[in-house]
Amino acid sequence: MSFLSFLLGEKKKTASVAKERLQIILAHERSGRNASEPDYLVDLQRDLIAVISKYIKINPNDIKVNMERQDNLDVLEVKIELPDAR
């Protein structure tokens, strides 16, 4: 079945596409620059808002993306406040 999917060009799920983009961004950032706040964080936050907004109504101010350096490890922190399900 996966061969047919390959031939027919089956669309990927939104979550897997977002995950791949994040992995590419992180790999690019690790290989190159050493900035205190990477310039892609604003774009990443905008993309996250767009993806999450497809599924739930969310205030764009409720999503925060932050990059920190701890020892020799870069930590990407994403905080998302979801609205109450009422």
Side-chain angles (χ1 to χ4, degrees):
M1 192 69 171
S2 63
F3 182 69
L4 268 177
S5 298
F6 173 74
L7 288 177
L8 297 176
E10 182 179 319
K11 290 185 97 177
K12 292 185 177 182
K13 301 285 184 207
T14 305
S16 65
V17 171
K19 180 180 176 183
E20 288 175 13
R21 287 180 183 166
L22 180 59
Q23 288 173 337
I24 291 169
I25 290 170
L26 289 175
H28 178 292
E29 193 61 32
R30 285 183 185 146
S31 68
R33 304 172 324 116
N34 228 355
S36 61
E37 184 170 313
D39 59 355
Y40 66 81
L41 289 180
V42 173
D43 293 335
L44 179 60
Q45 185 169 353
R46 186 184 63 242
D47 289 348
L48 285 169
I49 291 167
V51 170
I52 293 170
S53 295
K54 289 182 179 181
Y55 302 97
I56 59 173
K57 185 177 180 180
I58 190 165
N59 182 345
N61 295 326
D62 290 341
I63 297 179
K64 305 288 184 219
V65 179
N66 187 31
M67 176 75 78
E68 293 180 5
R69 183 130 181 105
Q70 297 176 355
D71 298 324
N72 63 345
L73 184 67
D74 290 329
V75 177
L76 178 68
E77 179 182 36
V78 179
K79 289 181 166 182
I80 304 170
E81 290 184 35
L82 298 175
D84 290 336
R86 292 184 195 186

